[in-house]
């Protein structure tokens, strides 16, 4: 039995179908959710985080059905850490004060242990020296890290992170990778991101979502393998290529379509595989690495 | 030794004798006089003291400095026995801060003054303000469910409904007694001092119940609007100044309050279902 | 060869005023131990000393803006710490506040070397003899006002006497010492 089980899960907002017939199961380890805007990643994460209810299908979290009773939902929430896509903070709270508040909500009633835990997570996200700074005076990336810290309180068994890497510079992303991979050894970590590099570096498993349905669910290496033989390095951009761009060396990286004359096959990256998988939707998401 | 006095430092022997009190007062004072001005010697002292002592002191400093101080009203409540985690939860609510309470107190005072000055004919400001103070206080104590911060509250084990009810209780405890006291200064029959409690205790559950559907801000506006209509309307018509709080009306308020409580209880029973909350 | 810029104490205090806790930690690392040491020489209750040092640095955190940049940070901290300790201990008689004035029977290893004595500015003989000849009340006043830097009013509160009494005793002590000394020592008003 997996930590998270979704069977036939669907959700609509008015006329818009955000998720349709999603079947997924997650266990220990770090799984990345990739997909363009509107693919349903946030909706999926909100359902797993017990923030909203699915319209149809079955959801089982940590072996419990969150719809069944108050006791079940509360039990799940005790083992849950959630970073929403947008997080708001009371304007005059310090980082420490905010984390203390969330810790009390997570039932850390003993003052000493609570302070130690808050210090621990601040250390884990590299903000130990900013503990007493007002959140309104922190940079965007630092605020995001405060949000991440609250999701780590108590080392939860289920960690749901919606776009944790936005606003982080490469050094901070490297730190995050280290923290999450350590976390992934004991917990089930689900994160969504637009950056394929994050998924490539951090996740063993990737789920590609588009239009509310699952397009791919499996190991990162398997996803990359689907692009073998469909990516080239050429002197000119391919005419019917899915996407192509000029690289730093002056040659063109061509993805999909027929290989132009004089093209050499190139080692596919996760991003190439992702673009190929999305097909025509790819133009909306591509950002050259 | 050819080095000048500027390079002289107290050797560890001398410093440890200073620490154990083996130096007489005069020598000790001289050592102090030197170390006060010498960074090197100060550091040397650090390695001679037991590390646990210095660490223990730092832990205390850090704790006092890191934890944000509670607002005054809550510090008072703590001394009266309020549990510490509860105080932390209440501290995050805007309407339990000193500034808000002072503002509420001032508005109510003005309203009372108006009633007093008019000799009992202009009760409208007081009857308007007294029940609305707790209503607005409760509304200010939490945000709409889609509020980014409230999302965290909604997915935490403590429970959003429980938190809202806790804050409601805190607002009532902090606002009601003062208003009753002010009410005693309002000229007229003595029961007037507490008569406004009827609408107050009815409007608060109504606010919570309506807020469960449309959010606290809109609900507060709606409730304020309706109550203003009742009070100002009765003054306009004109009915007796005490009409809004007379027996017949109190019965209506009671009924409304009970109905609202029923709605809350039913919703609270299902509140921890994801997607449904107060 | 580059030089690492050394942050001055005053700069650290400015950082603390800005809410920088690592600056507070650095100031504690520089001054905390010595503060403990000075207090421990005057008070044999460790818990009180710990509390006083804690209060001092918390006061630093809260009032860092008020630091006038004349004088040393260490001296400023000592002022806060000693006053706090004095007010805490005013009612308690069991705690030793005044150090031993009499030179213990001569044991060579107890005294600093002759060279150290010179460099410390300690000259035995006339000054020590003069101080020893003072009565305990006079010595107490000298210790409190001259060596610990209290005002006469604060010394009065510490010793449980009126401010005028402190001033009188100080005056008389100085007169007595002047006759015992041939030249003025540094630091004496």
């Amino acid at each position: 039995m997996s930590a998270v089980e979704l069977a036939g899960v669907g959700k609509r907002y008015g006329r818009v179908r955000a998720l349709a017939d999603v079947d997924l199961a997650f266990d220990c380890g770090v799984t990345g959710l990739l997909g363009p805007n509107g693919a349903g990643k946030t909706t999926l994460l909100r359902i797993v985080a017990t923030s909203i209810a699915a319209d149809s299908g079955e959801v089982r979290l940590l072996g419990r059905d969150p719809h069944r009773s108050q006791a079940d939902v509360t039990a799940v929430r005790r083992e849950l850490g959630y970073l929403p896509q947008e997080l708001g903070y009371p304007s005059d709270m310090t980082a420490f004060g905010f984390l203390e508040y969330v810790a009390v909500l997570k039932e850390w009633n003993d003052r000493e242990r609570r302070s130690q835990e808050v210090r621990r997570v601040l250390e884990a996200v590299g903000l130990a020296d900013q503990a007493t700074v007002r959140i309104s005076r922190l940079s965007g990336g630092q605020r995001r890290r405060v949000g991440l810290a609250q999701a780590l309180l108590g080392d939860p068994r289920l960690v749901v992170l919606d776009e944790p890497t936005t606003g982080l510079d490469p050094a901070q992303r490297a730190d995050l990778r280290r923290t999450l991979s350590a976390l992934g050894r004991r917990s089930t970590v689900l994160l969504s991101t637009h950056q394929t590099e994050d998924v490539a570096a951090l996740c063993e498993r990737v789920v590609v979502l588009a239009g509310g349905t699952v397009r791919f669910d499996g190991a990162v290496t398997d996803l990359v393998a689907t692009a073998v033989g469909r990516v080239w390095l050429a002197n000119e951009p391919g005419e019917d290529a899915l996407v192509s761009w000029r690289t730093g060396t002056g040659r063109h990286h061509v993805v999909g379509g027929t290989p132009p004359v004089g093209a050499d096959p190139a080692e596919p990256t996760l991003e190439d595989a992702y673009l190929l998988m999305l097909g025509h939707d790819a133009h909306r998401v591509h950002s050259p690495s | 030794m050819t080095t000048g006095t500027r390079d002289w430092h107290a050797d560890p022997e001398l410093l440890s004798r200073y620490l154990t009190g083996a130096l007489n007062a005069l020598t000790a004072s001289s050592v102090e006089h030197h170390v006060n001005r010498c960074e090197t010697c100060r550091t040397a002292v650090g390695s001679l003291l037991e590390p646990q002592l210095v660490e223990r002191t730092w832990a205390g400093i850090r704790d006092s400095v890191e934890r944000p101080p509670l607002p005054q009203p809550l510090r008072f409540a703590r001394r009266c026995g309020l549990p510490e985690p509860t105080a932390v939860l209440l501290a995050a609510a805007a309407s339990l801060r000193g500034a808000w309470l002072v503002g509420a107190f001032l508005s109510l005072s003005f309203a009372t003054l108006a009633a007093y000055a008019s000799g009992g004919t202009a009760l409208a400001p007081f009857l308007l303000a007294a029940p609305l103070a707790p209503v607005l206080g409760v509304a200010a104590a939490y945000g709409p469910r889609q509020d980014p911060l409230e999302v965290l509250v909604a997915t935490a084990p403590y429970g959003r409904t429980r938190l809202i009810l806790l804050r409601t209780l805190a607002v009532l405890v902090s606002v009601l007694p003062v208003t009753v006291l002010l009410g005693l200064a309002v000229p007229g029959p003595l029961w007037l001092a507490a008569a406004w409690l009827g609408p107050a205790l009815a409007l608060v559950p109504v606010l919570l119940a309506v807020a469960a559907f449309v959010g606290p801000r809109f609900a507060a506006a709606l409730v304020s609007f309706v109550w203003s209509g009742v009070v100002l309307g009765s003054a306009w018509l004109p009915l007796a100044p005490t009409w809004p709080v007379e027996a017949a009306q109190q019965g209506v308020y009671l009924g409304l309050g009970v109905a609202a409580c029923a709605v809350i209880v039913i919703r609270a029973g299902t509140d921890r279902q994801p997607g449904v909350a107060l | 060869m580059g030089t690492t810029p050394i942050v001055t104490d005053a700069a650290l205090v400015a950082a603390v005023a800005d809410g920088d806790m690592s600056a507070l930690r650095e100031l504690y690392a520089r001054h905390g131990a010595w503060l403990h040491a000075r207090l421990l020489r005057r008070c044999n209750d460790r818990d009180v000393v710990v509390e006083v040092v804690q209060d001092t640095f918390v006061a630093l955190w809260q009032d860092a803006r008020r630091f006038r940049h004349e004088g040393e940070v260490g001296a400023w901290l000592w002022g806060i710490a000693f006053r706090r300790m004095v007010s805490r201990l005013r009612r308690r008689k069991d705690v030793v506040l005044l150090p031993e004035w009499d030179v213990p029977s001569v044991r060579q290893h107890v005294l600093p070397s002759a060279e150290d004595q010179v460099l410390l500015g300690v000259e035995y003989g006339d000054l020590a003899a003069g101080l020893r000849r003072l009565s305990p009340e006079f010595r107490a006043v000298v210790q409190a006002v001259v060596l610990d830097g209290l005002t006469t009013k604060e010394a009065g509160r510490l010793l449980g006497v009126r401010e005028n009494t402190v001033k009188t005793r100080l005056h008389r002590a100085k007169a007595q010492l002047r006759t015992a000394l041939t030249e003025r020592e540094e630091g004496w008003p």
Side-chain angles (χ1 to χ4, degrees), chain B residues 19-39:
Chain B
L19 289 173
T20 54
L23 296 177
N24 67 54
L26 195 52
T27 317
S29 305
S30 306
V31 170
E32 275 191 24
H33 193 254
H34 167 78
V35 179
N36 284 345
R37 286 156 183 64
C38 178
E39 173 103 39

Side-chain angles (χ1 to χ4, degrees), chain A:
Chain A
M1 196 197 51
S2 304
V4 176
E5 286 171 3
L6 303 168
V9 164
K11 176 80 185 171
R12 7 165 49 103
Y13 293 108
R15 283 180 184 262
V16 178
R17 203 148 71 134
L19 285 178
D21 208 29
V22 168
D23 289 312
L24 287 170
F26 302 106
D27 258 311
C28 260
V30 185
T31 306
L33 286 188
L34 269 185
N37 289 327
K41 304 191 302 289
T42 296
T43 309
L44 180 62
L45 292 179
R46 285 163 80 191
I47 290 175
V48 175
T50 71
S51 177
I52 58 175
D55 294 335
S56 56
E58 263 190 40
V59 176
R60 288 194 78 79
L61 303 171
L62 299 174
R64 295 172 184 268
D65 177 1
H67 290 260
R68 198 166 74 109
S69 71
Q70 285 190 40
D72 282 312
V73 157
T74 311
V76 170
R77 286 174 176 166
R78 285 206 180 100
E79 313 257 23
L80 172 72
Y82 177 39
L83 174 61
Q85 193 173 25
E86 277 152 27
L87 191 48
Y89 311 88
S91 51
D92 56 348
M93 269 188 161
T94 61
F96 193 96
F98 173 73
L99 289 170
E100 209 182 28
Y101 173 60
V102 178
V104 174
L105 288 173
K106 295 192 175 191
E107 300 178 329
W108 286 79
N109 289 331
D110 179 80
R111 189 170 160 179
E112 262 320 303
R113 292 186 57 231
R114 187 197 322 143
S115 294
Q116 277 171 18
E117 180 66 9
V118 168
R119 255 176 254 130
R120 182 190 76 87
V121 298
L122 277 172
E123 187 79 52
V125 300
L127 288 176
D129 284 340
Q130 275 75 29
T132 49
V133 179
R134 296 243 161 105
I135 297 183
S136 50
R137 293 176 58 190
L138 293 175
S139 70
Q142 287 173 323
R143 273 185 232 182
R144 200 87 190 125
R145 283 190 279 158
V146 172
L148 177 65
Q150 65 78 27
L152 298 176
L153 282 168
D155 249 345
R157 277 172 57 204
L158 179 54
V159 181
V160 179
L161 307 172
D162 204 336
E163 311 264 357
T165 55
T166 43
L168 299 186
D169 67 41
Q172 290 158 356
R173 262 189 263 145
D175 286 334
L176 175 62
R177 285 168 192 167
R178 246 174 277 131
T179 312
L180 292 186
S181 60
L183 197 57
R185 269 179 240 134
R186 301 174 304 270
S187 314
T188 306
V189 181
L190 279 186
L191 61 91
S192 75
T193 175
H194 283 136
Q195 310 262 14
T196 45
E197 307 95 68
D198 288 332
V199 174
L202 180 52
C203 311
E204 302 106 42
R205 188 165 151 214
V206 62
V207 170
V208 178
L209 272 183
T213 55
V214 176
R215 303 293 177 87
F216 180 86
D217 171 14
V220 170
T221 43
D222 291 342
L223 179 57
V224 174
T226 64
V228 166
R230 296 160 76 188
V231 179
W232 302 275
L233 215 49
N235 295 326
E236 30 180 78
E239 291 141 10
D240 62 343
L242 183 63
V243 192
S244 73
W245 63 87
R246 205 162 170 279
T247 66
T249 58
R251 302 193 77 194
H252 291 263
H253 185 104
V254 178
V255 181
T258 49
V261 179
D264 304 309
E267 186 81 35
T269 64
L270 180 64
E271 185 173 15
D272 297 328
Y274 171 58
L275 293 170
L276 282 167
M277 177 131 305
L278 290 183
H280 298 297
D281 301 326
H283 292 286
R284 271 190 269 139
V285 308
H286 170 65
S287 46
S289 33

Side-chain angles (χ1 to χ4, degrees), chain B:
Chain B
M1 245 173 47
T2 49
T3 50
T5 44
R6 199 173 299 138
D7 294 328
W8 180 83
H9 296 294
D11 62 57
E13 186 63 46
L14 191 58
L15 287 177
S16 38
R17 270 189 248 138
Y18 171 84
L19 289 173
T20 54
L23 296 177
N24 67 54
L26 195 52
T27 317
S29 305
S30 306
V31 170
E32 275 191 24
H33 193 254
H34 167 78
V35 179
N36 284 345
R37 286 156 183 64
C38 178
E39 173 103 39
T40 318
C41 287
R42 275 203 295 270
T43 320
V45 170
S47 43
L48 291 172
L49 279 178
E50 32 171 284
Q52 294 133 321
L53 180 69
V54 178
E55 268 315 300
R56 172 181 154 205
T57 309
W58 172 249
I61 297 170
R62 186 191 51 194
D63 280 347
S64 304
V65 157
E66 273 175 345
R67 280 201 213 108
L70 292 175
Q72 264 301 3
L74 284 172
R75 257 181 271 170
F76 176 68
R78 280 282 289 142
R79 257 178 266 139
C80 300
L82 184 74
E84 197 260 339
T86 314
V88 173
L89 290 179
L90 292 176
S95 46
L96 291 164
R97 306 279 169 78
W100 193 92
L101 289 172
V102 166
F105 177 72
L106 284 177
S107 327
L108 290 167
S109 302
F110 282 130
T112 314
L113 211 59
Y116 186 79
S118 72
T121 48
L123 289 178
F126 183 76
L127 290 180
L128 187 59
L132 283 187
V135 164
L136 295 177
V138 170
Y142 68 105
R145 200 156 33 87
Q146 297 75 32
D147 193 279
L149 179 63
E150 297 295 315
V151 166
L152 274 191
V153 174
T155 53
Y158 190 83
R160 190 177 136 91
T161 298
R162 190 169 154 200
L163 187 62
I164 290 173
L165 291 178
L166 174 71
R167 291 190 176 155
T168 302
L169 189 63
V171 169
L172 292 177
V173 163
S174 57
V175 168
L176 293 186
V178 171
T179 319
V180 169
L181 286 176
L182 284 176
L184 290 170
V186 171
L190 205 57
W191 56 264
L192 204 55
W196 58 270
L197 277 172
L201 294 175
L203 288 178
V204 167
V206 167
L207 169 80
L208 290 177
V210 174
F213 296 97
V214 297
R217 309 270 181 260
F218 189 78
L222 190 64
V223 168
S224 308
F225 183 72
V226 167
W227 180 246
S228 307
V230 168
V231 172
L232 296 174
S234 77
W236 184 262
L237 274 182
L239 300 165
T242 58
W243 181 87
V245 291
E246 280 167 9
Q249 283 67 260
Q250 298 279 14
V252 173
Y253 303 146
L254 183 65
L256 262 181
V258 168
C261 285
V263 169
I264 295 171
V265 167
I266 294 170
R267 275 191 78 109
T270 53
D271 101 303
R272 287 177 193 223
Q273 301 286 313
V276 177
L278 193 63

